Amino acid sequence: MSASSPQVWLPAHFASPADLPPGLDYARWNGRSAFPSDPAEVVFYAPPLTQDIDIISKPLHRMTRLRAVQAHSVRGPTNCERNWTGSLAR
C-alpha cells in the first residue's frame, strides 16, 4: 500500500477490490488481527461484521483522516451500531 493513496478498510469477507474505484488503497481487516495499515491514513472504514463494540471501535480514535463509515446490518440499526457511532469525532 502506498501512503500517498487514501486508505479504505473493508471487512475481511470482502472478496476482491477488482470492481472498486482505482486510486485508493484497499485493505481487509477481520477485527482480530493486527491493523492492515496505519489507521491514521484511513478515509473510509467498513467495520468487520461483528456486534462486538470493542472490535468495531478499536481503530476509531486513531482514524484522524476518516471521512466515512459504512455500517453493515441485515436487520437495520442494532443497539451495537447505535452505541459505537458515539465513538466518532463530531
Side-chain angles (χ1 to χ4, degrees):
M1 285 185 219
S2 160
S4 63
S5 296
Q7 300 287 304
V8 175
W9 281 11
L10 303 170
H13 82 282
F14 196 86
S16 169
D19 295 329
L20 297 175
L24 301 170
D25 282 334
Y26 298 96
R28 290 182 255 175
W29 185 54
N30 66 10
R32 300 196 186 283
S33 61
F35 294 146
S37 65
D38 182 356
E41 300 297 320
V42 175
V43 297
F44 184 94
Y45 176 45
L49 298 178
T50 179
Q51 291 189 4
D52 187 329
I53 185 70
D54 293 329
I55 290 174
I56 292 170
S57 63
K58 183 177 180 178
L60 289 176
H61 72 282
R62 295 180 52 194
M63 292 179 159
T64 56
R65 295 184 183 167
L66 189 63
R67 297 288 178 243
V69 175
Q70 181 177 354
H72 302 276
S73 177
V74 176
R75 291 175 244 141
T78 64
N79 285 334
C80 177
E81 287 168 340
R82 285 188 205 102
N83 292 335
W84 74 262
T85 55
S87 300
L88 297 172
R90 303 223 187 270

Coordinates of all heavy atoms in Angstrom, one line a residue:
M1 N 0.8 -1.2 0.0 CA 0.0 0.0 0.0 C 0.9 1.2 0.0 O 1.9 1.3 0.6 CB -0.9 0.0 1.2 CG -2.0 -0.9 1.1 SD -3.1 -0.7 2.5 CE -3.5 -2.4 2.8
S2 N 0.4 2.2 -0.6 CA 1.1 3.5 -0.7 C 0.5 4.5 0.2 O -0.7 4.7 0.2 CB 1.0 4.0 -2.2 OG 1.3 5.4 -2.2
A3 N 1.3 5.2 1.0 CA 0.8 6.2 1.9 C 0.2 7.4 1.2 O -0.5 8.2 1.8 CB 2.0 6.6 2.8
S4 N 0.6 7.6 -0.1 CA 0.0 8.7 -0.8 C -1.4 8.5 -1.3 O -2.1 9.4 -1.7 CB 0.9 9.0 -2.0 OG 0.9 7.9 -2.9
S5 N -1.9 7.3 -1.3 CA -3.2 7.0 -1.8 C -4.1 6.9 -0.5 O -3.7 6.3 0.5 CB -3.3 5.7 -2.6 OG -2.6 5.8 -3.7
P6 N -5.4 7.4 -0.6 CA -6.3 7.2 0.5 C -6.5 5.7 0.8 O -6.6 4.9 -0.1 CB -7.6 7.9 0.0 CG -7.1 8.8 -1.1 CD -5.9 8.2 -1.7
Q7 N -6.6 5.5 2.1 CA -6.8 4.1 2.6 C -8.3 3.8 2.8 O -9.0 4.6 3.3 CB -6.1 3.9 3.9 CG -4.6 4.1 3.9 CD -3.9 3.0 3.2 OE1 -4.0 1.8 3.5 NE2 -3.1 3.4 2.1
V8 N -8.7 2.6 2.4 CA -10.0 2.1 2.6 C -9.9 0.8 3.3 O -9.3 -0.1 2.8 CB -10.8 2.0 1.2 CG1 -12.1 1.3 1.4 CG2 -10.9 3.3 0.5
W9 N -10.6 0.6 4.4 CA -10.6 -0.6 5.1 C -11.9 -1.3 4.9 O -13.0 -0.7 5.1 CB -10.4 -0.5 6.6 CG -9.0 -0.3 7.0 CD1 -7.9 0.0 6.3 CD2 -8.5 -0.3 8.4 NE1 -6.8 0.2 7.0 CE2 -7.1 0.0 8.3 CE3 -9.1 -0.5 9.6 CZ2 -6.3 0.1 9.5 CZ3 -8.3 -0.4 10.7 CH2 -6.9 -0.1 10.7
L10 N -11.9 -2.6 4.5 CA -13.1 -3.3 4.2 C -13.2 -4.5 5.1 O -12.1 -5.0 5.6 CB -13.1 -3.8 2.7 CG -13.0 -2.7 1.7 CD1 -12.7 -3.3 0.3 CD2 -14.2 -1.9 1.7
P11 N -14.3 -5.1 5.4 CA -14.4 -6.3 6.2 C -13.6 -7.5 5.5 O -13.5 -7.5 4.3 CB -15.9 -6.7 6.2 CG -16.6 -5.4 5.8 CD -15.7 -4.7 4.9
A12 N -13.1 -8.3 6.3 CA -12.2 -9.4 5.8 C -13.0 -10.3 4.7 O -12.3 -10.8 3.8 CB -11.7 -10.3 6.9
H13 N -14.3 -10.4 4.9 CA -15.0 -11.3 4.0 C -15.1 -10.7 2.6 O -15.5 -11.4 1.6 CB -16.4 -11.6 4.5 CG -17.4 -10.5 4.2 ND1 -17.4 -9.3 5.0 CD2 -18.3 -10.4 3.3 CE1 -18.3 -8.6 4.5 NE2 -18.9 -9.2 3.5
F14 N -14.8 -9.4 2.4 CA -15.0 -8.8 1.1 C -14.1 -9.5 0.1 O -12.9 -9.6 0.3 CB -14.6 -7.3 1.2 CG -15.0 -6.5 0.0 CD1 -16.3 -5.9 0.0 CD2 -14.2 -6.3 -1.0 CE1 -16.7 -5.2 -1.0 CE2 -14.6 -5.5 -2.1 CZ -15.9 -5.0 -2.1
A15 N -14.7 -10.0 -1.0 CA -14.0 -10.9 -1.9 C -12.8 -10.2 -2.6 O -11.7 -10.7 -2.5 CB -15.0 -11.4 -3.0
S16 N -13.0 -9.2 -3.4 CA -12.0 -8.6 -4.2 C -12.3 -7.2 -4.5 O -13.4 -6.8 -4.8 CB -11.8 -9.4 -5.5 OG -11.0 -8.7 -6.4
P17 N -11.3 -6.3 -4.4 CA -11.5 -4.9 -4.8 C -11.4 -4.6 -6.3 O -11.4 -3.5 -6.7 CB -10.4 -4.2 -4.0 CG -9.3 -5.2 -3.9 CD -10.0 -6.5 -3.8
A18 N -11.4 -5.7 -7.1 CA -11.3 -5.5 -8.5 C -12.3 -4.6 -9.2 O -12.0 -3.9 -10.1 CB -11.3 -6.9 -9.2
D19 N -13.5 -4.6 -8.6 CA -14.6 -3.7 -9.2 C -14.7 -2.4 -8.5 O -15.7 -1.7 -8.8 CB -15.9 -4.5 -9.1 CG -15.9 -5.7 -10.0 OD1 -15.2 -5.7 -11.1 OD2 -16.6 -6.7 -9.7
L20 N -13.8 -2.1 -7.6 CA -13.9 -0.8 -6.9 C -13.1 0.3 -7.6 O -12.2 0.0 -8.4 CB -13.4 -1.0 -5.5 CG -14.2 -2.0 -4.6 CD1 -13.5 -2.2 -3.3 CD2 -15.6 -1.5 -4.4
P21 N -13.4 1.5 -7.3 CA -12.7 2.6 -8.0 C -11.2 2.6 -7.8 O -10.7 2.2 -6.7 CB -13.2 3.9 -7.3 CG -14.5 3.4 -6.6 CD -14.3 2.0 -6.3
P22 N -10.5 2.9 -8.9 CA -9.0 3.0 -8.8 C -8.5 4.2 -8.0 O -9.3 5.1 -7.7 CB -8.6 3.1 -10.2 CG -9.7 3.7 -10.9 CD -11.0 3.3 -10.2
G23 N -7.3 4.2 -7.6 CA -6.7 5.4 -7.0 C -6.8 5.3 -5.5 O -6.5 6.3 -4.8
L24 N -7.3 4.2 -4.9 CA -7.4 4.1 -3.5 C -6.7 2.8 -3.1 O -6.5 1.9 -3.9 CB -8.9 3.9 -3.1 CG -9.8 5.1 -3.4 CD1 -11.3 4.7 -3.2 CD2 -9.4 6.3 -2.6
D25 N -6.2 2.7 -1.9 CA -5.5 1.5 -1.4 C -6.5 0.8 -0.5 O -7.0 1.4 0.5 CB -4.3 1.9 -0.6 CG -3.1 2.2 -1.4 OD1 -3.0 1.7 -2.6 OD2 -2.2 2.9 -1.0
Y26 N -6.9 -0.4 -0.9 CA -7.9 -1.2 -0.2 C -7.2 -2.2 0.7 O -6.2 -2.9 0.3 CB -8.8 -1.9 -1.1 CG -9.6 -1.0 -2.0 CD1 -9.1 -0.6 -3.3 CD2 -10.7 -0.4 -1.5 CE1 -9.8 0.2 -4.1 CE2 -11.5 0.5 -2.3 CZ -11.0 0.8 -3.6 OH -11.7 1.7 -4.3
A27 N -7.7 -2.4 1.9 CA -7.2 -3.4 2.9 C -8.4 -4.1 3.5 O -9.4 -3.4 3.7 CB -6.3 -2.8 3.9
R28 N -8.2 -5.3 3.8 CA -9.3 -6.1 4.5 C -8.8 -6.3 6.0 O -7.6 -6.6 6.2 CB -9.5 -7.4 3.9 CG -10.2 -7.2 2.5 CD -10.5 -8.6 1.9 NE -9.5 -8.7 0.8 CZ -9.4 -9.8 0.1 NH1 -10.1 -10.9 0.4 NH2 -8.4 -9.9 -0.8
W29 N -9.8 -6.2 6.9 CA -9.5 -6.4 8.3 C -10.6 -7.2 9.0 O -11.8 -6.8 8.8 CB -9.3 -5.0 9.0 CG -8.9 -5.1 10.4 CD1 -7.8 -5.8 10.9 CD2 -9.5 -4.5 11.6 NE1 -7.7 -5.6 12.3 CE2 -8.8 -4.9 12.7 CE3 -10.6 -3.7 11.7 CZ2 -9.1 -4.4 14.0 CZ3 -11.0 -3.3 13.0 CH2 -10.2 -3.7 14.1
N30 N -10.2 -8.2 9.7 CA -11.2 -9.0 10.4 C -11.5 -8.6 11.8 O -12.4 -9.2 12.4 CB -10.8 -10.5 10.4 CG -9.5 -10.7 11.2 OD1 -9.1 -9.9 12.0 ND2 -8.9 -11.9 11.1
G31 N -10.9 -7.6 12.3 CA -11.2 -7.1 13.6 C -10.4 -7.8 14.7 O -10.3 -7.3 15.9
R32 N -9.7 -8.9 14.4 CA -8.9 -9.6 15.4 C -7.5 -9.6 15.2 O -6.6 -9.7 16.1 CB -9.5 -11.0 15.5 CG -10.9 -11.0 15.9 CD -11.4 -12.4 16.4 NE -12.8 -12.4 16.6 CZ -13.4 -11.9 17.7 NH1 -12.8 -11.3 18.6 NH2 -14.8 -12.0 17.8
S33 N -7.1 -9.4 13.9 CA -5.7 -9.4 13.5 C -5.1 -8.0 13.7 O -5.8 -7.1 14.1 CB -5.5 -9.8 12.1 OG -6.2 -8.9 11.2
A34 N -3.8 -7.9 13.5 CA -3.2 -6.5 13.5 C -3.8 -5.7 12.5 O -4.3 -6.2 11.5 CB -1.7 -6.7 13.3
F35 N -3.8 -4.4 12.7 CA -4.3 -3.4 11.7 C -3.6 -3.6 10.3 O -2.3 -3.8 10.3 CB -4.2 -2.0 12.1 CG -5.0 -1.6 13.3 CD1 -4.5 -0.7 14.2 CD2 -6.2 -2.2 13.5 CE1 -5.2 -0.3 15.3 CE2 -7.0 -1.8 14.6 CZ -6.5 -0.9 15.5
P36 N -4.3 -3.6 9.2 CA -3.6 -3.8 7.9 C -2.8 -2.7 7.4 O -2.0 -2.8 6.5 CB -4.8 -4.1 7.0 CG -5.9 -3.4 7.6 CD -5.7 -3.5 9.1
S37 N -3.0 -1.5 8.0 CA -2.2 -0.3 7.7 C -2.4 0.7 8.8 O -3.1 0.4 9.8 CB -2.7 0.3 6.4 OG -4.0 0.8 6.5
D38 N -1.8 1.8 8.7 CA -1.9 2.8 9.8 C -3.3 3.4 9.8 O -3.7 4.0 8.8 CB -0.9 3.9 9.5 CG -0.8 5.0 10.6 OD1 -1.7 5.0 11.5 OD2 0.0 5.9 10.5
P39 N -4.0 3.3 10.9 CA -5.4 3.8 11.0 C -5.4 5.3 10.7 O -6.5 5.8 10.2 CB -5.8 3.5 12.4 CG -5.0 2.3 12.8 CD -3.7 2.5 12.1
A40 N -4.4 6.0 10.9 CA -4.4 7.5 10.7 C -4.5 7.8 9.2 O -4.9 8.9 8.8 CB -3.1 8.1 11.2
E41 N -4.2 6.8 8.3 CA -4.3 7.1 6.9 C -5.7 6.7 6.3 O -6.0 6.9 5.1 CB -3.2 6.3 6.2 CG -1.8 6.7 6.6 CD -1.5 8.1 6.3 OE1 -1.9 8.6 5.2 OE2 -0.8 8.8 7.1
V42 N -6.6 6.1 7.1 CA -7.9 5.6 6.6 C -8.9 6.7 6.4 O -9.1 7.5 7.3 CB -8.4 4.5 7.6 CG1 -9.8 4.1 7.2 CG2 -7.5 3.3 7.7
V43 N -9.5 6.8 5.2 CA -10.5 7.8 4.9 C -11.9 7.1 4.9 O -12.9 7.8 5.0 CB -10.2 8.5 3.6 CG1 -8.9 9.3 3.8 CG2 -10.2 7.6 2.4
F44 N -12.0 5.8 4.6 CA -13.2 5.1 4.6 C -13.1 3.8 5.3 O -12.2 3.1 5.1 CB -13.6 4.8 3.1 CG -15.0 4.2 2.9 CD1 -16.1 5.0 2.7 CD2 -15.1 2.8 3.0 CE1 -17.3 4.4 2.5 CE2 -16.4 2.2 2.9 CZ -17.5 3.0 2.6
Y45 N -14.0 3.6 6.2 CA -14.0 2.4 7.1 C -15.3 1.6 7.1 O -16.4 2.2 7.4 CB -13.7 2.8 8.5 CG -13.7 1.8 9.6 CD1 -13.0 0.6 9.5 CD2 -14.3 2.1 10.8 CE1 -13.0 -0.4 10.5 CE2 -14.3 1.1 11.9 CZ -13.6 -0.1 11.7 OH -13.6 -1.0 12.7
A46 N -15.3 0.4 6.6 CA -16.4 -0.5 6.7 C -16.0 -1.5 7.7 O -15.2 -2.4 7.5 CB -16.7 -1.2 5.3
P47 N -16.5 -1.4 9.0 CA -16.1 -2.3 10.1 C -16.3 -3.7 9.8 O -17.2 -4.1 9.0 CB -17.0 -1.8 11.2 CG -17.5 -0.5 10.9 CD -17.6 -0.5 9.4
P48 N -15.6 -4.6 10.5 CA -15.8 -6.0 10.4 C -17.3 -6.4 10.8 O -17.9 -5.7 11.5 CB -14.8 -6.6 11.4 CG -13.8 -5.5 11.7 CD -14.6 -4.3 11.5
L49 N -17.7 -7.5 10.2 CA -19.1 -8.0 10.5 C -19.1 -8.6 11.9 O -18.9 -9.8 12.0 CB -19.5 -8.9 9.4 CG -19.6 -8.3 8.0 CD1 -20.0 -9.3 7.0 CD2 -20.5 -7.1 8.0
T50 N -19.4 -7.9 12.9 CA -19.5 -8.3 14.2 C -20.4 -7.4 15.0 O -20.6 -6.2 14.6 CB -18.1 -8.4 14.9 OG1 -18.2 -8.9 16.3 CG2 -17.4 -7.1 14.9
Q51 N -20.9 -7.9 16.1 CA -21.7 -7.0 17.0 C -20.8 -6.6 18.2 O -21.3 -6.0 19.1 CB -23.0 -7.6 17.4 CG -23.9 -7.8 16.3 CD -25.3 -8.2 16.8 OE1 -25.6 -8.4 17.9 NE2 -26.2 -8.4 15.8
D52 N -19.6 -6.9 18.2 CA -18.7 -6.6 19.3 C -18.2 -5.1 19.2 O -17.4 -4.8 18.4 CB -17.5 -7.5 19.3 CG -16.6 -7.4 20.5 OD1 -16.5 -6.3 21.1 OD2 -15.9 -8.4 20.9
I53 N -18.7 -4.3 20.0 CA -18.5 -2.9 20.0 C -17.0 -2.6 20.2 O -16.4 -1.7 19.6 CB -19.3 -2.1 21.1 CG1 -19.1 -0.6 21.0 CG2 -18.9 -2.6 22.5 CD1 -19.7 0.0 19.8
D54 N -16.3 -3.4 21.0 CA -14.8 -3.2 21.2 C -14.0 -3.4 19.9 O -13.1 -2.6 19.6 CB -14.3 -4.1 22.3 CG -14.9 -3.7 23.6 OD1 -15.2 -2.5 23.9 OD2 -15.1 -4.6 24.5
I55 N -14.4 -4.4 19.1 CA -13.7 -4.6 17.8 C -14.0 -3.5 16.8 O -13.1 -3.0 16.2 CB -14.1 -6.0 17.3 CG1 -13.5 -7.1 18.1 CG2 -13.7 -6.1 15.8 CD1 -13.9 -8.5 17.7
I56 N -15.3 -3.2 16.7 CA -15.7 -2.1 15.7 C -15.0 -0.8 16.0 O -14.5 -0.1 15.1 CB -17.2 -2.0 15.7 CG1 -17.9 -3.2 15.2 CG2 -17.7 -0.8 14.9 CD1 -19.4 -3.3 15.3
S57 N -15.0 -0.4 17.3 CA -14.5 0.9 17.6 C -13.0 1.0 17.9 O -12.4 2.0 18.0 CB -15.2 1.4 18.9 OG -15.0 0.6 20.0
K58 N -12.3 -0.2 17.9 CA -10.9 -0.3 18.3 C -10.0 0.7 17.5 O -9.2 1.4 18.1 CB -10.4 -1.7 18.1 CG -8.9 -1.9 18.5 CD -8.5 -3.4 18.3 CE -7.1 -3.6 18.6 NZ -6.7 -5.0 18.5
P59 N -10.1 0.9 16.2 CA -9.2 1.8 15.5 C -9.8 3.2 15.4 O -9.0 4.1 15.0 CB -9.2 1.2 14.1 CG -10.5 0.6 13.9 CD -10.9 0.0 15.3
L60 N -11.0 3.5 15.8 CA -11.6 4.8 15.5 C -10.8 6.0 16.1 O -10.7 7.0 15.4 CB -13.0 4.8 16.0 CG -14.0 4.0 15.2 CD1 -15.4 4.0 15.9 CD2 -14.1 4.5 13.8
H61 N -10.3 5.9 17.3 CA -9.6 7.0 17.9 C -8.3 7.4 17.1 O -7.8 8.5 17.2 CB -9.3 6.8 19.4 CG -8.3 5.8 19.6 ND1 -8.5 4.4 19.6 CD2 -7.0 5.9 20.0 CE1 -7.4 3.8 19.8 NE2 -6.5 4.7 20.1
R62 N -7.8 6.4 16.4 CA -6.6 6.7 15.6 C -6.9 7.1 14.1 O -6.0 7.4 13.4 CB -5.7 5.4 15.6 CG -5.2 5.1 17.0 CD -4.4 3.9 17.1 NE -3.3 3.9 16.1 CZ -2.5 2.9 15.8 NH1 -2.8 1.7 16.4 NH2 -1.6 2.9 14.9
M63 N -8.1 7.0 13.7 CA -8.5 7.4 12.3 C -8.8 8.9 12.2 O -9.9 9.3 12.0 CB -9.7 6.5 11.9 CG -9.5 5.1 11.8 SD -10.9 4.1 11.3 CE -10.2 2.7 10.7
T64 N -7.7 9.6 12.2 CA -7.8 11.1 12.2 C -8.2 11.7 10.8 O -8.6 12.8 10.8 CB -6.4 11.7 12.6 OG1 -5.4 11.2 11.8 CG2 -6.1 11.3 14.1
R65 N -8.1 10.9 9.8 CA -8.5 11.4 8.4 C -9.8 10.8 8.0 O -10.2 11.0 6.8 CB -7.4 11.0 7.4 CG -6.1 11.8 7.7 CD -5.1 11.5 6.6 NE -3.8 12.2 7.0 CZ -2.7 12.0 6.4 NH1 -2.6 11.1 5.4 NH2 -1.6 12.6 6.8
L66 N -10.5 10.1 8.8 CA -11.7 9.3 8.5 C -12.8 10.3 8.0 O -13.0 11.3 8.6 CB -12.2 8.6 9.7 CG -13.4 7.6 9.5 CD1 -13.0 6.5 8.6 CD2 -13.9 7.1 10.8
R67 N -13.4 10.0 6.8 CA -14.4 10.8 6.2 C -15.7 10.0 6.1 O -16.8 10.7 6.0 CB -14.0 11.2 4.8 CG -12.8 12.0 4.7 CD -13.1 13.4 5.3 NE -11.9 14.3 5.2 CZ -11.4 14.8 6.3 NH1 -11.9 14.5 7.5 NH2 -10.3 15.6 6.2
A68 N -15.7 8.7 6.1 CA -17.0 7.9 6.0 C -16.8 6.6 6.7 O -15.8 6.0 6.7 CB -17.3 7.7 4.6
V69 N -17.9 6.2 7.3 CA -18.1 4.8 7.9 C -19.3 4.2 7.3 O -20.4 4.8 7.3 CB -18.2 4.9 9.4 CG1 -18.4 3.5 10.0 CG2 -17.0 5.6 10.0
Q70 N -19.2 3.0 6.8 CA -20.3 2.3 6.3 C -20.6 1.1 7.2 O -19.8 0.1 7.2 CB -20.1 1.8 4.9 CG -21.3 1.1 4.3 CD -21.1 0.6 2.9 OE1 -20.2 1.0 2.2 NE2 -22.1 -0.1 2.4
A71 N -21.6 1.1 8.0 CA -22.0 0.0 8.9 C -22.9 -0.9 8.1 O -23.8 -0.5 7.4 CB -22.7 0.6 10.1
H72 N -22.6 -2.2 8.3 CA -23.4 -3.3 7.6 C -24.4 -3.8 8.6 O -24.0 -4.2 9.7 CB -22.4 -4.4 7.1 CG -21.4 -3.9 6.2 ND1 -21.6 -3.7 4.8 CD2 -20.1 -3.4 6.4 CE1 -20.5 -3.2 4.3 NE2 -19.6 -3.1 5.2
S73 N -25.6 -4.0 8.1 CA -26.6 -4.5 9.0 C -27.7 -5.3 8.1 O -28.1 -4.8 7.1 CB -27.3 -3.4 9.8 OG -28.3 -4.0 10.6
V74 N -28.1 -6.4 8.6 CA -29.1 -7.1 7.9 C -30.5 -6.7 8.3 O -31.4 -6.6 7.5 CB -28.9 -8.7 8.2 CG1 -30.0 -9.4 7.5 CG2 -27.6 -9.1 7.7
R75 N -30.7 -6.3 9.5 CA -32.0 -6.0 10.1 C -32.2 -4.5 10.4 O -33.0 -4.2 11.2 CB -32.3 -6.9 11.3 CG -32.4 -8.3 11.0 CD -32.6 -9.1 12.2 NE -31.4 -10.0 12.2 CZ -30.7 -10.3 13.3 NH1 -31.0 -9.9 14.4 NH2 -29.7 -11.1 13.2
G76 N -31.4 -3.7 10.0 CA -31.5 -2.3 10.4 C -30.6 -2.0 11.5 O -29.9 -2.9 12.0
P77 N -30.6 -0.8 12.1 CA -29.6 -0.5 13.2 C -29.8 -1.3 14.4 O -31.0 -1.6 14.8 CB -30.0 1.0 13.5 CG -30.7 1.5 12.3 CD -31.4 0.3 11.7
T78 N -28.8 -1.9 14.9 CA -28.8 -2.6 16.1 C -28.4 -1.8 17.3 O -27.9 -0.7 17.1 CB -27.9 -3.9 16.0 OG1 -26.5 -3.4 15.9 CG2 -28.2 -4.7 14.8
N79 N -28.5 -2.2 18.5 CA -28.0 -1.5 19.6 C -26.5 -1.3 19.5 O -26.0 -0.2 19.9 CB -28.4 -2.2 20.9 CG -29.8 -2.1 21.3 OD1 -30.5 -1.2 20.9 ND2 -30.3 -3.1 22.0
C80 N -25.8 -2.2 19.0 CA -24.4 -2.1 18.8 C -24.1 -0.9 17.9 O -23.2 -0.1 18.2 CB -23.8 -3.4 18.3 SG -22.1 -3.4 17.9
E81 N -24.7 -0.8 16.8 CA -24.5 0.3 15.9 C -24.8 1.6 16.5 O -24.1 2.6 16.3 CB -25.2 0.1 14.6 CG -24.7 -1.0 13.7 CD -25.6 -1.4 12.6 OE1 -26.8 -1.1 12.7 OE2 -25.1 -2.0 11.6
R82 N -25.9 1.7 17.2 CA -26.2 2.9 17.9 C -25.1 3.3 18.9 O -24.8 4.5 19.0 CB -27.5 2.8 18.6 CG -28.7 2.8 17.6 CD -30.0 2.9 18.4 NE -31.1 2.3 17.6 CZ -31.6 1.1 17.7 NH1 -31.1 0.3 18.7 NH2 -32.5 0.7 16.9
N83 N -24.5 2.4 19.6 CA -23.5 2.7 20.6 C -22.2 3.0 20.0 O -21.5 4.0 20.5 CB -23.4 1.5 21.5 CG -24.6 1.2 22.4 OD1 -25.4 2.2 22.6 ND2 -24.8 0.0 22.8
W84 N -21.7 2.3 19.0 CA -20.3 2.6 18.5 C -20.2 3.9 17.8 O -19.2 4.5 17.7 CB -19.7 1.5 17.8 CG -20.2 1.2 16.4 CD1 -21.1 0.3 16.0 CD2 -19.8 1.9 15.2 NE1 -21.4 0.4 14.7 CE2 -20.5 1.3 14.1 CE3 -18.9 2.9 14.9 CZ2 -20.4 1.7 12.8 CZ3 -18.8 3.3 13.6 CH2 -19.5 2.7 12.6
T85 N -21.3 4.4 17.2 CA -21.3 5.6 16.5 C -20.9 6.8 17.4 O -20.4 7.8 17.0 CB -22.6 5.9 15.7 OG1 -23.7 5.9 16.6 CG2 -22.8 4.9 14.6
G86 N -21.2 6.6 18.7 CA -20.8 7.6 19.6 C -19.3 7.8 19.8 O -18.8 8.8 20.3
S87 N -18.5 6.8 19.2 CA -17.0 6.9 19.2 C -16.5 7.8 18.2 O -15.3 8.1 18.2 CB -16.5 5.5 19.1 OG -16.9 4.6 20.1
L88 N -17.3 8.2 17.2 CA -16.8 9.0 16.1 C -16.7 10.5 16.6 O -17.5 11.0 17.3 CB -17.8 9.0 14.9 CG -18.0 7.6 14.3 CD1 -19.1 7.6 13.2 CD2 -16.7 7.2 13.6
A89 N -15.6 11.1 16.1 CA -15.5 12.5 16.5 C -16.5 13.3 15.8 O -16.9 13.0 14.6 CB -14.1 13.0 16.0
R90 N -17.0 14.3 16.4 CA -18.1 15.1 15.8 C -17.5 16.4 15.2 O -16.5 16.9 15.5 CB -19.1 15.5 16.9 CG -19.7 14.3 17.5 CD -21.1 14.4 17.7 NE -21.7 13.3 18.4 CZ -22.1 12.2 17.9 NH1 -22.0 12.0 16.6 NH2 -22.6 11.3 18.7

